[in-house]
Amino acid sequence: RKIVKVYENTLPTNLKMRPSVKLDIADGRISGNSGCNRITGELRSDDTVGNSISFHSVAATRMMCPDMETEKNILSALNSVRTYGILENGNLVFFTAGGAVVLELKRNK
């Protein structure tokens, strides 16, 4: 899925490499890229909490990139995710424990 928003900021559509994440529920893994660097980590859920999802041990390669702020914000957002939902437009959203939207993802076509 392509990352289209980080916190309240819509990402430009003309990025050379579009930030994206792949959720592998069966293996409990997340992978993708933050616009330049590759990311990987663990995916967990808590059966006692509705729509629970969280990411742990999220790591990224350490290349210097033209837009390090977006890279930093994506990693920060991933580390704060606690639940998810689906918007009317079909996009997947991730929320903090307090219910703030931190990431919005659009299905790859």
Side-chain angles (χ1 to χ4, degrees), residues 24-90:
D24 187 335
I25 307 299
D27 287 340
R29 304 290 306 160
I30 181 175
S31 61
N33 77 75
S34 52
C36 175
N37 285 292
R38 304 262 329 130
I39 55 176
T40 185
E42 295 177 43
L43 181 155
R44 298 182 191 165
S45 64
D46 179 348
D47 293 337
T48 66
V49 177
N51 291 350
S52 169
I53 193 168
S54 58
F55 307 111
H56 301 268
S57 303
V58 176
T61 54
R62 300 266 181 196
M63 295 186 299
M64 188 55 128
C65 305
D67 185 1
M68 292 306 293
E69 178 140 352
T70 297
E71 298 266 326
K72 181 185 76 149
N73 286 342
I74 289 171
L75 292 174
S76 169
L78 285 170
N79 284 312
S80 67
V81 169
R82 295 298 173 264
T83 60
Y84 69 92
I86 304 292
L87 298 175
E88 287 183 18
N89 64 8

Side-chain angles (χ1 to χ4, degrees), residues 1-6 11 15 17-23 30-40 58 70-71 74-75 78 94 103-109:
R1 291 187 177 252
K2 293 184 249 180
I3 298 173
V4 294
K5 279 188 180 180
V6 181
L11 297 180
L15 295 172
M17 181 182 281
R18 187 83 186 163
S20 64
V21 293
K22 178 182 177 190
L23 307 173
I30 181 175
S31 61
N33 77 75
S34 52
C36 175
N37 285 292
R38 304 262 329 130
I39 55 176
T40 185
V58 176
T70 297
E71 298 266 326
I74 289 171
L75 292 174
L78 285 170
F94 293 124
L103 285 169
E104 181 177 334
L105 290 80
K106 182 176 183 174
R107 184 179 301 271
N108 293 335
K109 292 183 179 181

